[in-house]
Structure formats: structure tokens, C-alpha cells
Amino acid sequence: MVSLLKRQVLRRYPDWVAAYHDARLRRELRRRPIADTPQGFRFAGPSTMQDGSFEPEEQAFLSARLQDADVFVDVGANAGYFTCIARARGARGIAVEPAPQKLELLLKNIRAHGW
């Protein structure tokens, strides 16, 4: 019964549902605390990113290549985790994030360092 009601609401009021999800996401983003990471920067995001356990293979790959890089381009940057890693290691960063809610969190993380 609940799933039928959900489907009917989604079908009938897609803009209302989108607005609700957007408002909920924005409220959650405002509440995310900024914490120190083992990578040497402060970050607001999931706990696995804050404690350094997020995608360890990708982090190692990025760190190895940043030694020879001047610029890091992060397309689909999400909260900017890899951009922050690059910036903390001295590379300039270009972050692209089209989703407004994720962009808000990305900007929060970048502004936390004055980048």
C-alpha cells in the first residue's frame, strides 16, 4: 500500500518530490561538520572521506601521479575530496560539479581553505 501511494505521489507531483529532496539535502549539507583528515586538509563529507579510508586505491593512484602534475582536473567532483587531496599536495585544481547540492558541499570544502 505504501509503495503504491509513493508511486502515485511521485507520478502526480514530481516537482514537489524534487523540492522536498532538494531541501532535505541542503539541510544535511549545512549540518555536515568540517573535520581534519589524515591527508592534511579539512573536509566536510562522509566519515570515510574524513578518516581517509575512502577509495584507498584511487588515493594511491592520484598521489603517485600528482608528483609530476601541475594541474588536477576533477570532473564530477562531488564534494571535492580528490580536488582537496591535489590542492593539499600543491597541485592547482579545477573541479567541475553540475549537481547543485554537491556543488554547495564542494564550495564549502574549497572555501574552508581559502582556495
Side-chain angles (χ1 to χ4, degrees):
M1 169 108 177
V2 174
S3 61
L4 175 62
L5 180 61
K6 272 186 178 178
R7 283 195 304 263
Q8 289 175 340
V9 169
L10 284 169
R11 228 176 314 172
R12 192 160 193 174
Y13 305 105
D15 293 337
W16 289 5
V17 173
Y20 166 77
H21 286 292
D22 184 62
R24 193 180 83 208
L25 252 172
R26 287 181 186 278
R27 184 177 63 247
E28 180 185 331
L29 293 177
R30 281 192 301 273
R31 293 179 179 173
R32 292 222 177 156
I34 295 178
D36 292 327
T37 68
Q39 293 84 1
F41 57 88
R42 296 180 51 71
F43 192 79
S47 60
T48 57
M49 291 179 180
Q50 290 178 328
D51 69 17
S53 65
F54 180 75
E55 298 185 348
E57 295 85 12
E58 288 80 354
Q59 287 186 56
F61 179 85
L62 176 61
S63 294
R65 273 128 193 104
L66 283 173
Q67 296 171 5
D68 300 323
D70 295 323
V71 178
F72 173 70
V73 179
D74 192 355
V75 178
N78 198 335
Y81 183 67
F82 293 112
T83 299
C84 289
I85 290 174
R87 292 288 295 155
R89 287 176 174 69
R92 292 183 318 168
I94 298 171
V96 179
E97 179 50 61
Q101 301 88 352
K102 293 177 183 177
L103 178 61
E104 188 175 324
L105 187 55
L106 168 65
L107 292 172
K108 180 177 183 175
N109 286 317
I110 289 171
R111 289 178 182 140
H113 302 281
W115 291 332

